[in-house]
Amino acid sequence: MPRIMDILETIAHFGKNPDGSYTRRLYSPEFFQALEAAENLLQKAGLATSRDAAGNLRAVLPGTDPAARHILMGSHLDTVPSGGLYDGAYGVAAAIGCVQRLQEEARRLRHTVEVYAFNGEEASPLGGTFGSRALAGLTDPDQPLLKGTLEGFGRRVEEILACRRDFSDAACYLETHIEQGGKLEKDGVQLGIVSGISNIVRYLVTAEGQSNHGGTTPMEDRQDAMVAMAKLIVFADAACRKIGHSLVFTAGKIQCWPNAANVVPGKVTCTFEMRNVDRQYTDELIREIQAATELIPDGRFTIQQLIYKDSAVCDPKLMEAFEKAADSLGATWQVMPSGAGHDADSIAHRIPVAMLFIPSHNGISHSGQEYTPADDVERGGEVLYRTLLELDGEIQ
Ligand SMILES: [Zn+2]
């Protein structure tokens, strides 16, 4: 069996559900089974491994030049509930494939290589990218649910803060991942070289009207909060499309009071989430939404920011190394932004990062239907390996 697919199936079959999907939540027994399987492969390849309190696995392959800064690679081993085989585990498998090959080919790199399998990348009460944020020293000790949730997992806040890595000896971080969208497949392109990871800006929008009898209140006298919200959502969707530049908008979670079939809604709240690599476009969209609220007569609006997660820009030199490696293999590639968050986002706060995408069939992810053809899986691993060799010659 081809190398990366074999590794992927070895480390990522844990938590398989009857419907063919996978569930490996952070700190779950299934997560640690996957971690142990990855650890075994890395140890068998002769690497020293260690785990930290955040649930991250680290493996080190020393280079020949102690002064050369380390090259880091990896991704995450947790999944969403009922997730797929590839999301996260693929990047870990591709990184393991690289160090296995270096060892088998008895090739000593100048740079020390570190492989990471992160915990808790997917959304949880501890926040997304939990493990990589702990490594990058981005854990916020004042996060409201942190202490209680950690105690539930038998961990303490201080232990997580102590997971912070000193990045002064690190050169860069490389992550391979499935695209989780359908662009590569639709464009007939084999690889995506990621230009940056989108920001996540989330607001809670509240519309207030007047609750009243659904039968006796004439249409002209209504202050219907649901209608007000509906108009604003339709406006925001159209404004987002008009701005373009890969900007996306989601009105994902809506609540209505009193939520009864025969009552004019008095209050509606809805999350407005927008993402882009360039903050100027998410700023522009919220400004337009803000202005539109003044023009909708059916309700009064308030807008409260819930989350602002900054975007990360990928390093041009590292992107070029991916491009060269892809070209050397005759693979087709395109530069594209990542709409999803990734561990690379956390690490980008400390050192230059780059990401390589392989196609997701039908653009499906976070589902048991997630699928990438084996050829694409291997191609991504091969390009990562060649990139590693390229960077070993290039960077200090
Ligand atoms: Zn992922």
Side-chain angles (χ1 to χ4, degrees):
M1 186 186 282
R3 183 189 298 268
I4 309 300
M5 206 59 222
D6 188 22
I7 300 171
L8 181 61
E9 286 180 357
T10 304
I11 65 176
H13 69 271
F14 302 97
K16 190 164 188 175
N17 301 310
D19 67 358
S21 66
Y22 299 83
T23 303
R24 287 192 304 275
R25 303 302 288 148
L26 81 164
Y27 286 126
S28 66
E30 296 77 20
F31 170 79
F32 283 111
Q33 284 166 357
L35 200 80
E36 195 181 329
E39 195 173 52
N40 285 339
L41 288 178
L42 288 158
Q43 286 174 357
K44 223 189 268 174
L47 277 74
T49 64
S50 57
R51 299 181 184 194
D52 67 19
N56 300 320
L57 172 69
R58 173 183 185 238
V60 181
L61 180 62
T64 55
D65 179 359
R69 285 171 305 143
H70 303 191
I71 298 174
L72 280 49
M73 299 186 295
S75 194
H76 60 100
L77 282 178
D78 65 306
T79 69
V80 294
S82 302
L85 177 69
Y86 305 83
D87 180 5
Y90 172 62
V92 179
I96 294 174
C98 286
V99 291
Q100 273 186 351
R101 254 178 92 175
L102 288 173
Q103 295 290 70
E104 285 168 19
E105 294 170 7
R107 204 192 279 260
R108 298 289 306 278
L109 296 189
R110 225 160 44 75
H111 294 259
T112 294
V113 176
E114 296 183 27
V115 175
Y116 282 90
F118 292 113
N119 184 23
E121 191 271 346
E122 304 292 357
S124 79
L126 294 171
T129 59
F130 167 72
S132 53
R133 280 190 295 113
L135 192 79
L138 302 173
T139 307
D140 174 9
D142 299 323
Q143 187 189 329
L145 293 172
L146 185 68
K147 188 167 179 286
T149 312
L150 276 175
E151 280 168 3
F153 294 124
R155 301 294 199 280
R156 288 178 298 114
V157 177
E158 306 76 59
E159 286 178 311
I160 303 305
L161 295 176
C163 294
R164 179 181 191 146
R165 186 193 192 284
D166 171 8
F167 278 86
S168 58
D169 65 350
C172 61
Y173 171 75
L174 305 174
E175 182 168 351
T176 48
H177 205 283
I178 54 165
E179 180 197 347
Q180 301 181 279
K183 191 166 189 313
L184 288 174
E185 192 180 63
K186 207 158 42 176
D187 295 350
V189 173
Q190 292 168 330
L191 296 162
I193 294 169
V194 177
S195 55
I197 301 162
S198 294
N199 65 7
I200 304 177
V201 196
R202 200 174 295 157
Y203 297 90
L204 184 70
V205 179
T206 304
E208 282 181 279
Q210 177 64 56
S211 266
N212 212 335
H213 197 294
T216 62
T217 315
M219 294 311 281
E220 63 270 24
D221 291 342
R222 290 181 184 220
Q223 287 278 296
D224 186 329
M226 184 71 92
V227 171
M229 187 62 80
K231 287 180 179 172
L232 191 64
I233 292 170
V234 170
F235 171 84
D237 180 83
C240 175
R241 289 164 197 267
K242 215 170 101 207
I243 292 168
H245 296 279
S246 305
L247 179 66
V248 291
F249 165 79
T250 309
K253 184 180 175 187
I254 195 159
Q255 283 178 294
C256 172
W257 288 268
N259 208 26
N262 57 354
V263 184
V264 176
K267 179 178 162 183
V268 172
T269 62
C270 186
T271 55
F272 278 29
E273 186 188 276
M274 48 204 76
R275 303 188 187 206
N276 198 266
V277 173
D278 191 337
R279 184 180 182 158
Q280 121 184 38
Y281 299 115
T282 50
D283 283 353
E284 186 179 335
L285 181 57
I286 194 63
R287 266 201 312 274
E288 289 198 19
I289 291 170
Q290 202 63 268
T293 60
E294 307 291 328
L295 306 173
I296 296 172
D298 310 80
R300 298 174 307 281
F301 289 95
T302 47
I303 299 181
Q304 178 200 357
Q305 189 170 81
L306 298 177
I307 286 179
Y308 182 84
K309 212 170 172 185
D310 218 349
S311 57
V313 176
C314 290
D315 182 75
K317 282 221 172 72
L318 296 175
M319 288 170 64
E320 213 180 285
F322 270 141
E323 290 168 17
K324 269 193 202 163
D327 285 342
S328 75
L329 195 64
T332 55
W333 53 268
Q334 66 183 19
V335 173
M336 62 189 297
S338 169
H342 293 290
D343 292 305
D345 210 350
S346 316
I347 309 301
H349 285 81
R350 300 288 170 244
I351 49 172
V353 304
M355 285 193 78
L356 183 73
F357 279 167
I358 58 169
S360 293
H361 183 51
N362 287 334
I364 294 173
S365 182
H366 285 186
S367 152
Q369 311 277 304
E370 197 175 83
Y371 172 71
T372 299
D375 282 354
D376 291 326
V377 166
E378 300 305 323
R379 188 177 295 109
E382 180 66 34
V383 170
L384 182 64
Y385 185 67
R386 291 183 186 211
T387 303
L388 186 60
L389 300 186
E390 169 81 30
L391 290 175
D392 190 55
E394 238 177 50
I395 55 177
Q396 287 310 302

